[in-house]
Amino acid sequence: MCNRKNMLFSIFIITSLFNFSVNAANVCTDMKKAEILEWVSEIRPSATIDCDLSLKSTDVITKKIYFEGDDASNTSLNCNSAKIDLNVGIRAGIFSMENDDAITIQSSKDKDTWSVPQNIVIQDCRISGSIRVIGMDDNEFADDLTASSLNTGHTERSNSTAPSNILLKNLEIEALFRPALYLSPGVNRVTLQQSYLHGASDTVGLYLDAESNYHNVLENTIAVNTSDYMVALDGSAYNRIEYNYIVANNTGGIYLFRNCGEGGMVRHQTASFNSIQNNYFIYNNYLNDKSAINIGANNGEQTYCIEDDNNNLKYTSSTDNQDNTESNTVMYNQFLNADPHELIRFGSDEDEALNEASVYANFRVTSFKQNIEPEIVEFECKVETNSYGCYKYATCPDNKISASVRAACNLEWGSVSLYDLPHWGHIDVIRESDTLPDSECLVHETSSYLEDSHTNAYPSYNNQMFIGCKEHDQNGGDCHILGQQICL
């Protein structure tokens, strides 16, 4: 594990211990534990947890489990490898795959006052069934949430009434029909860490819904058999999705969008300021053209986008149906036997413009690389009065490969400086030749000769990359290429 990663997770662990400390005075009584472990029945199908519960590895919970309201705050469930099995109730006809979850963490309301659960730890559990975290309402098809969305300040209201500071660690979650983990509108600061999500979902594997934010999805394996994509960020912002294995991506990987107007709810927040870094995408059985990462996947194409058009709230989906994703950082993700420039896509030119400065250095591998340490290596080639141009190989240090590149060329007399370099993943010609057809600025397999073209450029994903420039003139050509590559 690299030093950067060690430091990152040391900080996280210290923070977690501070926020999620277990209160020894709140240990569940034997009677409460027996109630929770009692076999599921139609008379008693569920149990609430409002204390610290520790199980034996041989224990099995067959009831639906609820953490509800402030009574569930500062509590923990440590399964110690025990199982929570919704299948028992499904087979008995008590539960249904379509409508029930194994664990629900939810706020409750008494008249106009919300009771909100915070600081909950669930760890070391084997779960057949899904986890659902619910704030003001379960989803957009609900009165309180929709009513709030019709006024400014909706994001803050939905955040303040939703569960927060939830740690889900070392879990095995088998989805039976619903998403393995669903974080409803407004839910914030949920961490899913070192867990394994699998099974089958009729929609997606992991759903981060509207107005939710500041979630951490860290060091997990996400391998749910889905009908849609694997991970949905639907108007969810400021999340970290890092160091995860994203497996079996035949229906798509991580999609960022905003379901404008769905259910009549106005969407205020966009899927922006997210960090998607250092993930591992496994595409050995890649069969179709679905994106691994799609930034701006909807952009008002759904028929329900008109359902909130009667409201005139600036900077929301009621006045703009576009996804408007911006400032998402997508870096250092590895793609097994697949090209990231083909699988990382933008829904529109505007989405690309709002994100391209922070989407780069994602790379193809034949086997995953561990402990990567990015290194920026400069290259240049310059020639005067020579119509054959200047060409060479730009090389990364030993055992490193080129993951991203940027370069600028002067195809007439004059030099290029580092200030002329474009965003990563692009070539700029700062001065084109007077004899255009017989000139070029070359990076790997991409050639450009026009000013202001801002051409996409892709690295070799190997240790070295062919670069160069050429200009043909009556007195011999002059050209200069200067660039940088990120070596990993």
Side-chain angles (χ1 to χ4, degrees):
M1 194 176 291
C2 68
N3 292 336
R4 176 188 172 200
K5 188 176 174 186
N6 275 333
M7 180 179 70
L8 185 150
F9 283 105
S10 295
I11 293 171
F12 172 78
I13 290 168
I14 292 170
T15 304
S16 297
L17 289 173
F18 178 79
N19 287 335
F20 302 110
S21 59
V22 175
N23 183 352
N26 196 32
V27 174
C28 293
T29 64
D30 291 341
M31 183 178 295
K32 183 65 174 179
K33 184 174 181 179
E35 175 198 337
I36 294 167
L37 291 173
E38 178 188 32
W39 208 250
V40 65
S41 67
E42 291 186 358
I43 299 174
R44 289 188 287 274
S46 63
T48 60
I49 293 181
D50 55 5
C51 49
D52 297 319
L53 177 63
S54 181
L55 301 176
K56 297 181 297 184
S57 62
T58 54
D59 287 334
V60 178
I61 295 176
T62 58
K63 294 181 175 181
K64 292 198 299 185
I65 296 301
Y66 286 89
F67 292 80
E68 188 167 5
D70 184 57
D71 288 345
S73 293
N74 304 304
T75 61
S76 64
L77 169 59
N78 188 342
C79 290
N80 293 303
S81 297
K83 187 166 188 178
I84 301 173
D85 193 355
L86 196 70
N87 276 313
V88 175
I90 292 173
R91 288 192 294 267
I94 301 169
F95 306 139
S96 72
M97 292 189 302
E98 296 83 0
N99 299 312
D100 292 298
D101 301 289
I103 298 176
T104 301
I105 303 170
Q106 65 183 21
S107 301
S108 59
K109 185 180 181 184
D110 182 10
K111 296 181 180 178
D112 293 327
T113 303
W114 286 95
S115 179
V116 181
Q118 301 178 35
N119 307 328
I120 295 172
V121 177
I122 301 174
Q123 62 182 352
D124 299 327
C125 300
R126 296 178 296 129
I127 303 167
S128 286
S130 302
I131 297 179
R132 206 166 187 90
V133 186
I134 304 170
M136 191 179 292
D137 278 309
D138 190 8
N139 55 39
E140 60 276 0
F141 300 101
D143 293 339
D144 282 334
L145 194 64
T146 301
S148 172
S149 77
L150 304 183
N151 296 282
T152 58
H154 171 57
T155 300
E156 292 75 13
R157 276 191 303 277
S158 59
N159 288 162
S160 67
T161 56
S164 64
N165 289 329
I166 312 297
L167 175 61
L168 308 172
K169 186 175 180 181
N170 194 27
L171 305 178
E172 178 187 346
I173 308 175
E174 178 192 11
L176 302 179
F177 185 86
R178 288 151 77 85
L181 175 61
Y182 172 75
L183 306 179
S184 81
V187 172
N188 57 96
R189 293 176 172 81
V190 173
T191 293
L192 175 70
Q193 184 180 6
Q194 296 172 353
S195 295
Y196 174 40
L197 277 58
H198 63 110
S201 168
D202 188 50
T203 53
V204 304
L206 170 61
Y207 204 107
L208 282 57
D209 212 336
E211 321 307 328
S212 72
N213 42 45
Y214 297 102
H215 301 308
N216 297 305
V217 181
L218 310 171
E219 296 188 306
N220 305 286
T221 296
I222 305 176
V224 182
N225 184 12
T226 64
S227 61
D228 290 331
Y229 20 88
M230 194 69 67
V231 180
L233 277 68
D234 177 4
S236 186
Y238 299 100
N239 305 298
R240 290 173 52 215
I241 302 177
E242 301 175 3
Y243 297 102
N244 302 284
Y245 285 85
I246 313 294
V247 184
N249 299 279
N250 294 337
T251 56
I254 303 172
Y255 278 47
L256 292 75
F257 56 93
R258 181 170 71 171
N259 275 342
C260 49
E262 187 177 17
M265 187 180 82
V266 178
R267 304 296 177 110
H268 291 239
Q269 183 174 259
T270 62
S272 299
F273 305 102
N274 297 289
S275 170
I276 303 173
Q277 299 191 60
N278 293 292
N279 297 291
Y280 308 91
F281 289 82
I282 299 177
Y283 270 85
N284 274 343
N285 298 314
Y286 186 66
L287 300 175
N288 54 41
D289 62 350
K290 296 292 185 180
S291 304
I293 302 172
N294 195 317
I295 303 172
N298 287 353
N299 281 316
E301 295 180 357
Q302 296 79 7
T303 57
Y304 49 69
C305 281
I306 63 173
E307 294 179 12
D308 66 349
D309 285 356
N310 290 331
N311 306 282
N312 191 27
L313 296 175
K314 288 184 178 180
Y315 313 116
T316 72
S317 63
S318 67
T319 54
D320 186 353
N321 288 333
Q322 298 301 299
D323 287 333
N324 295 320
T325 58
E326 65 173 303
S327 302
N328 291 289
T329 300
V330 181
M331 295 167 53
Y332 308 134
N333 297 290
Q334 301 182 38
F335 295 78
L336 188 65
N337 301 318
D339 289 324
H341 62 267
E342 296 177 355
L343 297 174
I344 299 176
R345 299 170 186 152
F346 300 93
S348 68
D349 291 342
E350 182 180 5
D351 289 316
E352 183 170 8
L354 291 171
N355 292 275
E356 68 174 355
S358 53
V359 178
Y360 60 87
N362 303 284
F363 57 106
R364 176 187 180 125
V365 295
T366 55
S367 61
F368 290 127
K369 296 170 65 72
Q370 305 296 327
N371 307 323
I372 62 170
E373 293 288 347
E375 183 175 350
I376 296 178
V377 178
E378 289 185 16
F379 59 83
E380 72 173 322
C381 205
K382 185 175 184 179
V383 69
E384 296 179 357
T385 64
N386 186 335
S387 293
Y388 290 102
C390 183
Y391 295 92
K392 63 186 287 188
Y393 282 98
T395 304
C396 284
D398 290 343
N399 301 318
K400 291 194 173 188
I401 65 172
S402 178
S404 192
V405 63
R406 61 179 179 173
C409 285
N410 187 325
L411 300 181
E412 275 290 345
W413 184 86
S415 297
V416 179
S417 74
L418 291 175
Y419 295 103
D420 296 315
L421 295 185
H423 292 316
W424 287 102
H426 294 87
I427 298 172
D428 275 358
V429 175
I430 64 171
R431 185 179 178 187
E432 63 188 39
S433 171
D434 294 335
T435 57
L436 288 179
D438 201 13
S439 63
E440 74 168 344
C441 179
L442 175 70
V443 172
H444 187 41
E445 297 175 347
T446 303
S447 178
S448 179
Y449 59 85
L450 296 174
E451 290 179 16
D452 303 320
S453 58
H454 200 54
T455 306
N456 290 328
Y458 308 111
S460 64
Y461 306 123
N462 292 314
N463 180 254
Q464 59 182 9
M465 176 175 57
F466 196 58
I467 62 96
C469 63
K470 181 180 72 169
E471 190 238 357
H472 183 81
D473 210 340
Q474 291 181 349
N475 61 346
D478 305 320
C479 72
H480 183 206
I481 180 172
L482 177 67
Q484 296 175 323
Q485 59 180 331
I486 296 178
C487 299
L488 299 173

